[in-house]
Amino acid sequence: GGGGKGDGTTTSGVGAEGRVEVIVQLVLPVELISFEALADGMNILLEWQTATEINSDYFAIEHSLTGQNWDQLDLVPAAGQSVQKRDYDYTHIPLRTGIQYYRLRMVDLDGTYTYSPTVAAQIHTDQQATVKSWKTNGQVFITGIDNMDGGQLTLYNTAGQLLQSTTVQPGILTPNLTLSHSMNEIGIIIWQAENRIPVAVKIY
């Protein structure tokens, strides 16, 4: 504000102190209700629920063995616009036992993002022992599985590259996969039964 006076040809004035307030309201892309990590054998099931989503793009699932150094596992598409509760889930098969840490990076369409709280679940050694796998004479075997409806046996290396896969008929309790070439590296054999969470076991 200010005041002034003039004689018709000149004017003068003194401005008073003033203040302008700008209020910025941050609208988050996702209102998160819950985020949980549940151990199921050698697998970790991640489940989360949102109340609302405004211009949400995707969820980046991040994993850590220490709670400090994070790796991105995968991207899950978000709803975009939603005012209803929405449920999401993701299954992770860790390559190591012990405590597993997870968080969500919730990304908006314009690239802005926020993080969820960190959650954790623990894979125990005795859980790993319930399903066993071994390699002999050019074949990989797995036992301790539930095979009522059949499934898929898949072999990966530790870098996550698919090496081989075979379909297993129902009722076979010790299915095997014949290697197409010699394998000297550590592998990961994954048993995926129909309508069941996949189970992963290391092969040395």
Side-chain angles (χ1 to χ4, degrees):
K5 61 181 180 178
D7 57 5
T9 58
T10 62
T11 61
S12 64
V14 178
E17 292 185 359
R19 183 177 63 182
V20 176
E21 292 186 355
V22 177
I23 300 175
V24 178
Q25 183 177 6
L26 179 63
V27 179
L28 300 179
V30 174
E31 181 184 351
L32 192 66
I33 297 176
S34 63
F35 177 41
E36 296 180 305
L38 306 171
D40 183 2
M42 280 300 293
N43 309 305
I44 301 292
L45 177 62
L46 302 177
E47 297 179 330
W48 64 99
Q49 187 180 66
T50 64
T52 59
E53 298 184 33
I54 302 173
N55 296 325
S56 58
D57 192 1
Y58 61 86
F59 300 92
I61 302 172
E62 299 186 358
H63 170 251
S64 174
L65 293 172
T66 63
Q68 296 179 344
N69 300 317
W70 296 89
D71 295 314
Q72 182 173 295
L73 295 178
D74 209 345
L75 302 179
V76 174
Q81 306 289 341
S82 175
V83 294
Q84 299 178 340
K85 290 182 180 179
R86 289 186 174 268
D87 296 310
Y88 297 86
D89 63 79
Y90 181 84
T91 299
H92 179 221
I93 305 173
L95 298 181
R96 298 182 184 179
T97 57
I99 299 176
Q100 316 287 323
Y101 297 91
Y102 300 91
R103 69 183 183 185
L104 299 174
R105 182 161 52 88
M106 302 175 287
V107 183
D108 203 347
L109 288 172
D110 63 5
T112 59
Y113 60 86
T114 56
Y115 282 105
S116 72
T118 298
V119 298
Q122 185 167 5
I123 296 294
H124 297 282
T125 304
D126 57 351
Q127 292 176 315
Q128 188 178 23
T130 59
V131 178
K132 297 181 180 180
S133 185
W134 66 95
K135 178 177 61 176
T136 182
N137 297 327
Q139 291 182 306
V140 174
F141 294 83
I142 191 170
T143 188
I145 63 169
D146 181 359
N147 185 20
M148 296 293 293
D149 303 312
Q152 198 79 13
L153 199 61
T154 309
L155 180 64
Y156 294 86
N157 61 20
T158 54
Q161 296 173 319
L162 173 64
L163 300 180
Q164 286 181 239
S165 182
T166 187
T167 300
V168 180
Q169 298 302 313
I172 300 176
L173 299 181
T174 309
N176 68 85
L177 185 153
T178 301
L179 298 174
S180 60
H181 56 81
S182 61
M183 176 181 167
N184 298 319
E185 60 184 325
I186 297 175
I188 306 293
I189 192 78
I190 296 181
W191 166 247
Q192 174 66 75
E194 293 291 336
N195 303 316
R196 301 292 179 88
I197 295 175
V199 177
V201 186
K202 277 187 179 181
I203 303 173
Y204 296 91

